[in-house]
Amino acid sequence: MDVDSYISRLRKLVELERRAEIESMKEEMRKLSGYERERRGRAILRLNGKVIGREFGYKLVKYGRKERIETEISVGDLVVISKGDPLKSDLIATVVEKGTRYIVVSIDSIPEWALKNVRIDLYANDITLKRMIENLEKLSESGKRTLRFLLGIERPRKPKAVNFEPFDNKLNESQREAVSLALGSRDFFLIHGPFGTGKTRTLTELILQEVKRGNKVLATAESNVAVDNLVERLAGKVRLVRLGHPSRISRHLIESSIFFQVEKHERFAKAEKLRDEAEKLIRQRDSEVKPSPHWRRGLSDEEIVKAAERGKRFRGIPYRVLKSMAKWIKLNREIQKLLDEAREIEEEIAREIINSSQVVLATNSSAALELIKDVEFDVAVIDEASQATIPSVLIPISKTRRFVLAGDHKQLPPTVLSQEAAELSETLFEKLIEAYPENSKMLEVQYRMNKKLMEFPSREFYGGRLKADDSVRNITLADLGVKEPKFGFWNEVLGSEPLVFIDTSKCADRWERQRKGSPSRENELEARIIKELVERLLKIGVKAGQIGVITPYDDQVDLIKRYIKGIEEIEVKTVDGYQGREKDVIIISFVRSNERGEVGFLDDLRRLNVSLTRARRKLIAIGDTETLSTNETYRRFIEFVKKEGKLVSLSAHQCMLQGSAKSR
């Protein structure tokens, strides 16, 4: 396939995904009641709001209610505010703060109706996908060249190691080698960073070395969290600026944002004065009759103004209405003029800040912002490249001739909703590392977990090349000062052994089930076991915030949350939601248990890799070994636990005890 045909194909795939995302959101809003969406964590009902201030040109509105708010809606998410039907509203806001009984959003302007008895719904935003399409439509030469590498039309030059004096003296040998080769790359370089291997630390060193060489760096990632991690490590060491909506930037890093830096500039006072003048005129304008289609009767703004000057009724419109509409139009023109002037000053300041910065940081999507359209960068450093689609990473790549991608293609790829666009889950990182392994380096020392927890994923997914650093090699729960468990049967599970598997295959009620109309799965026995485990972990002194629960299925997440209701600090998420995260204790519920031996999408072994590599000190897996063993990798994992950890098989009697826990 030639480059133009491939670009055309990518555009079609992104458009399919854009439609699928919007349709999926609308379909759920159509099918589910507000109460059901709230139960799934995607809506909040019965909210009243009040304007609490202004920040970076946006109004801040605090919504609250007496009942506790339990939701998946997070800071940085886009939401739609409505009077009950989100499909009929176009009032979009961004979440900036979240509490147990309130949520604060940032919004351009807020109408009166949106402050009393409203609902807030998680909103599918297609801006990111539109930016990908726009970038593909006018793809730069560097973007096309990247695709020639991908398609095998052109071969990249092999990197040559470069000597450098590290800023970070604690870099290990594989990290130093990765930085050295990345600095010596002339086309691109790939840093393969498995779990806990210090990928962000390595990228920080690389960026500092690039700046030292006089290069201007564009540093991006797919998520705001990953961009924030880079900002945190680089702050105070280089002149940097962070692009993107202020509400999606961690509060303690807000000084890095373009909005903050613009507002601190000496010339900003003039722009602020113009906006204040516009605000006064807006209040005046809003007391006049707005020229809506109902009152316009097909008249243009100019015709309304002229008709009002004639001082009489026109086209059946009363003179007082004509006069008021004309005033509205004149005031609105003045307002636009003031706002345009303020915007021009702010954009000039922003460009000045960007031009003087050594490192510009943004999400891949925000790298498409008009502000950096004409900025020339020497190198793009892109984190989370194995979680980003090709059209996504092409945005920052298009702005520079050389790039470095960092990621781990052995963990989960980007989520793609459209089955027709499934090809989008194949990443540039994965394709390039398979085609040009000589342009890559794997980081080999992990700093996250106990050696025993690391061993199986290292063998299975990384050719046994990973080593545990001495600082984590033998870490256990005992280091946290937890008490010795005294719970009879549960002592086996909660004792000093870091790796435990609870086998449910002898339990009569072990089977998975499906809710009516749901494609997901749940397993009540496993949810009950988790409740028992959590209660006992808390009793021996493990803090709720140190425990994480992972399961592949949404319905099981919902079921487990109901069983451990009231212990808010314990994060219960799907595997996809846990990528990039870690906890001292991880409990995995595999869910699948059936007579057919079907494991469904557990067959995607990258899900197993992510699940097994989130725990630092203790991993407790729960599952039906008979069902899971139909998959070779799961069978090997179970054998590994038998040999190196502890496999605890529930007897029929113990299963009955679990059943009685249900009725307690």
Side-chain angles (χ1 to χ4, degrees), residues 14-30:
V14 177
E15 186 53 49
L16 286 168
E17 178 64 6
R18 189 180 81 83
R19 285 185 211 149
E21 278 197 17
I22 292 167
E23 194 43 51
S24 170
M25 176 193 74
K26 286 182 176 174
E27 184 66 12
E28 188 179 281
M29 285 175 176
R30 273 194 292 267

Side-chain angles (χ1 to χ4, degrees), residues 571-610:
E571 288 186 327
V572 185
K573 293 179 183 288
T574 59
V575 185
D576 304 58
Y578 249 106
Q579 182 145 296
R581 302 177 67 76
E582 57 188 75
K583 293 279 181 180
D584 285 302
V585 182
I586 286 288
I587 304 170
I588 305 172
S589 168
F590 285 120
V591 176
R592 298 313 295 256
S593 175
N594 53 72
E595 290 171 319
R596 301 173 303 283
E598 289 176 359
V599 295
F601 78 164
L602 267 65
D603 256 333
D604 183 345
L605 298 174
R606 291 172 294 193
R607 280 200 158 73
L608 177 63
N609 187 22
V610 171

Side-chain angles (χ1 to χ4, degrees), residues 124-223:
N125 174 24
D126 67 346
I127 291 172
T128 298
L129 293 160
K130 280 180 175 174
R131 284 174 180 168
M132 291 181 200
I133 292 168
E134 284 166 14
N135 186 59
L136 288 168
E137 283 171 349
K138 51 181 190 312
L139 195 62
S140 70
E141 179 48 38
S142 55
K144 289 178 180 175
R145 188 159 165 266
T146 301
L147 295 183
R148 289 199 291 274
F149 294 143
L150 182 147
L151 296 168
I153 297 166
E154 190 177 325
R155 282 195 72 83
R157 291 165 288 184
K158 196 175 172 184
K160 292 176 181 175
V162 165
N163 288 327
F164 69 98
E165 189 64 41
F167 288 92
D168 183 350
N169 292 318
K170 292 184 178 175
L171 290 179
N172 64 50
E173 193 181 330
S174 64
Q175 290 170 329
R176 284 180 187 232
E177 196 179 330
V179 174
S180 169
L181 289 165
L183 289 170
S185 64
R186 290 177 288 174
D187 299 311
F188 67 81
F189 192 72
L190 312 164
I191 297 176
H192 181 194
F195 58 93
T197 51
K199 181 166 52 71
T200 309
R201 185 176 201 163
T202 308
L203 291 183
T204 303
E205 180 70 37
L206 172 62
I207 292 166
L208 291 174
Q209 292 295 337
E210 291 285 5
V211 169
K212 186 180 175 182
R213 282 160 173 70
N215 290 331
K216 193 175 183 79
V217 181
L218 175 60
T220 70
E222 189 68 0
S223 73

Side-chain angles (χ1 to χ4, degrees), residues 224 227-228 231 240-244 248-249 256-258 361-362:
N224 281 288
V227 180
D228 281 348
V231 172
L240 62 81
V241 65
R242 163 80 152 92
L243 305 185
R248 296 194 181 94
I249 300 168
S256 68
S257 82
I258 188 73
L361 299 107

Side-chain angles (χ1 to χ4, degrees), residues 348-373:
E348 279 174 17
I349 297 169
R351 287 193 172 91
E352 191 181 302
I353 291 165
I354 288 164
N355 288 332
S356 66
S357 295
Q358 295 164 312
V359 183
V360 176
L361 299 107
T363 58
N364 295 336
S365 170
S366 294
L369 290 172
E370 194 71 20
L371 278 175
I372 57 168
K373 183 185 169 192

Side-chain angles (χ1 to χ4, degrees), residues 515 520-528 530 550-562 572 589-591:
R515 296 178 188 180
S520 190
R521 299 281 194 287
E522 63 183 21
N523 188 309
E524 192 165 12
L525 172 63
E526 292 184 16
R528 294 200 305 265
I530 286 167
I550 301 178
T551 180
Y553 293 96
D554 280 326
D555 285 353
Q556 185 72 348
V557 167
D558 180 55
L559 186 63
I560 293 166
K561 280 183 175 179
R562 278 192 270 156
V572 185
S589 168
F590 285 120
V591 176

Side-chain angles (χ1 to χ4, degrees), residues 399-412:
K399 300 189 176 300
T400 177
R401 278 188 62 78
R402 190 171 132 253
F403 62 90
V404 176
L405 302 182
D408 180 12
H409 56 299
K410 301 296 182 181
Q411 298 205 20
L412 287 175

